[in-house]
Amino acid sequence: MNCRRARNLLFDFFDGASNEALRAEVDRHLGECRECDTFASELTSSLALLRRAPVEPVDDNFNWKVRLAIHREKNVALERAASANAWVRAWNVRYVLSTGFALTAVLLAGGMFVARNGALPAPVQVATRPLTQVNKSGQEPTSPRPVPRSNIRTPVRNDLSSTVSNCFMSNSLCGVRTMHRPSRTMKIWSSLS
Amino acid sequence: MLRVQSGVADCYDVLVERYKVRLFNYLYRLTGNRDEAEEIAQEAFVKAYIHAAKYKTIARFSTWLYTIATNLVRNRIRSRSRAPQLISLWQRGFGDSDEERMLDIEDTGRTPDEAINDAELSSVINRAIAKIPEKYRESFVLREINELSYEEIAAVTGLKLGTVRSRINRARNYFRQLVAPVVEKGIDF
């Protein structure tokens, strides 16, 4: 048993630890070591002094002061909540107004653009039929071939025959004239007229 | 506390009445100032009420209350250490020399065997505790004045059990050295 261990055990005994064997050992050490004996007596008397410390009384109005402080805190919290709500409402109004202004500005800008540049161009029609003629072998030529003039029937008279002959010619969607061979019936009809 | 959480606010008066003396004495021994101790005690009760929803029944209400009060004291010490102030008991630590360790006991002309009244005893104790290093003071007061268990002190201070034990024993040693002249003089309180 050394001095350090003896002093640590003294603290444990003060806290209520009970070990008869250890206590006897510590007592033996205290009998042999004067410094530890002084330490033990000083410790005992100082902690006894501390345990005799008077209980300080509290102010009579303590409870009332606590209630008042709680009431004030509640009021402060309510005021903060109210101002936060007002702030959120104000922000919502601003948001709506700013969004409205932005939309109006975009519409005005779009209108001014249309007014300056006129009507928008008509949409371009996309061709669904091939632009070039297919030759007799069934292959598409690499470049579009012009239609021979002899195959083009131009209307000479503004009458039924021309109307009929005009029926033989038709414009494709892209404007290039394609030929239809007239039937035998149509030939007879045109010779009669 | 469960009733307070469920909205019965009048029950809180019962809790205040039950714990105010213990809390006030803890804070008074810790700060050494009566007015400050009362102010912090009130603030602790108010905070406990405002944050009643955060209280969990796994711990005792007193432990929770002491934790709030201890944190308030620590915040005050921190704010004082930042701002330059007049030297007070807060900034006086435990000195290295024997002279600094001893308490200055006023010589009132009384004989050593005359009794000192409670106020003087209280003053001696407060001055001794104020000289104990700050990090040992909380655990020491909770153990010796409020008689909390080591587990409760660990919960309040946020320290490990072993750390609490060693800090309390060191504080006891400091206190013994500080009060030694009073004990030597054999003054009967």
Side-chain angles (χ1 to χ4, degrees):
Chain A
M1 176 71 63
N2 56 25
C3 293
R4 189 176 175 180
R5 188 154 184 258
R7 292 181 188 194
N8 284 338
L9 284 169
L10 280 171
F11 288 128
D12 292 341
F13 294 149
F14 263 109
D15 288 328
S18 60
N19 187 321
E20 291 306 318
L22 279 173
R23 204 178 275 272
E25 221 177 308
V26 169
D27 286 339
R28 207 179 308 123
H29 178 81
L30 294 180
E32 292 165 2
C33 179
R34 197 174 167 182
E35 282 177 11
C36 287
D37 189 46
T38 309
F39 176 89
S41 61
E42 283 180 354
L43 188 65
T44 308
S45 50
S46 64
L47 291 183
L49 195 78
L50 195 58
R51 278 161 195 173
R52 285 171 57 189
V55 176
E56 296 291 328
V58 186
D59 184 25
D60 290 337
N61 296 325
F62 185 85
N63 289 31
W64 177 83
K65 286 178 186 173
V66 168
R67 253 183 262 132
L68 184 66
I70 288 172
H71 183 70
R72 279 183 190 153
E73 277 292 323
K74 279 183 179 175
N75 285 345
V76 165
L78 283 170
E79 280 173 18
R80 271 189 209 147
S83 66
N85 284 343
W87 188 243
V88 166
R89 266 186 261 121
W91 265 110
N92 283 346
V93 168
R94 282 183 202 178
Y95 176 74
V96 167
L97 285 175
S98 59
T99 309
F101 283 136
L103 276 173
T104 309
V106 165
L107 286 171
L108 279 173
M112 281 169 61
F113 177 80
V114 167
R116 267 194 197 170
N117 297 335
L120 292 169
V124 175
Q125 292 181 342
V126 178
T128 58
R129 295 169 70 176
L131 298 179
T132 58
Q133 290 181 357
V134 179
N135 57 20
K136 288 180 183 176
S137 62
Q139 292 173 350
E140 283 186 11
T142 54
S143 59
R145 291 172 66 185
V147 177
R149 283 187 67 83
S150 58
N151 286 342
I152 296 173
R153 288 185 182 267
T154 56
V156 177
R157 287 179 286 178
N158 202 8
D159 55 5
L160 185 62
S161 64
S162 64
T163 307
V164 169
S165 61
N166 280 339
C167 289
F168 296 141
M169 292 189 287
S170 63
N171 288 331
S172 67
L173 288 175
C174 64
V176 175
R177 289 183 179 185
T178 56
M179 281 298 295
H180 293 281
R181 286 189 71 180
S183 65
R184 194 172 277 184
T185 313
M186 295 310 297
K187 276 185 184 175
I188 295 166
W189 181 250
S190 63
S191 64
L192 286 173
S193 60
Chain B
M1 196 58 193
L2 289 172
R3 285 189 194 171
V4 173
Q5 284 177 328
S6 60
V8 185
D10 294 339
C11 293
Y12 199 66
D13 281 340
V14 175
L15 286 170
V16 173
E17 191 59 40
R18 197 183 293 172
Y19 293 106
K20 65 180 181 181
V21 175
R22 276 181 268 177
L23 185 65
F24 173 73
N25 274 269
Y26 164 60
L27 292 168
Y28 177 56
R29 297 300 173 197
L30 201 57
T31 62
N33 185 307
R34 220 188 143 73
D35 294 332
E36 190 154 16
E38 198 175 296
E39 200 179 310
I40 297 173
Q42 283 171 18
E43 202 177 332
F45 276 115
V46 171
K47 277 194 182 294
Y49 181 84
I50 298 293
H51 300 288
K54 293 182 185 174
Y55 170 69
K56 302 246 184 335
T57 51
I58 51 172
R60 288 169 61 180
F61 175 72
S62 59
T63 309
W64 191 54
L65 192 62
Y66 281 125
T67 308
I68 294 172
T70 304
N71 288 333
L72 286 171
V73 171
R74 286 174 182 172
N75 290 342
R76 289 209 176 199
I77 293 170
R78 225 175 283 137
S79 62
R80 276 208 183 99
S81 63
R82 282 185 202 136
Q85 287 183 0
L86 297 173
I87 294 172
S88 66
L89 283 175
W90 290 98
Q91 293 171 352
R92 287 172 65 191
F94 194 87
D96 291 331
S97 65
D98 289 338
E99 287 169 0
E100 286 181 359
R101 282 197 206 114
M102 299 305 168
L103 288 175
D104 295 328
I105 299 175
E106 194 180 326
D107 184 9
T108 58
R110 294 187 195 177
T111 55
D113 55 353
E114 278 183 3
I116 302 178
N117 58 21
D118 283 350
E120 289 186 22
L121 171 60
S122 191
S123 170
V124 165
I125 289 169
N126 280 355
R127 278 153 60 202
I129 291 173
K131 283 183 174 270
I132 294 173
E134 188 191 308
K135 63 178 179 177
Y136 303 144
R137 217 181 286 156
E138 289 169 0
S139 308
F140 178 71
V141 173
L142 284 168
R143 178 69 186 168
E144 302 300 336
I145 302 290
N146 294 84
E147 296 177 0
L148 261 63
S149 68
Y150 281 104
E151 289 75 18
E152 285 174 322
I153 296 170
V156 169
T157 55
L159 300 168
K160 292 181 187 174
L161 209 59
T163 310
V164 169
R165 281 184 193 276
S166 69
R167 286 191 181 189
I168 288 172
N169 288 341
R170 287 186 188 187
R172 282 169 173 167
N173 200 21
Y174 283 128
F175 187 77
R176 177 192 63 83
Q177 291 175 321
L178 287 164
V179 182
V182 178
V183 173
E184 257 181 46
K185 289 182 183 180
I187 295 169
D188 182 23
F189 294 105

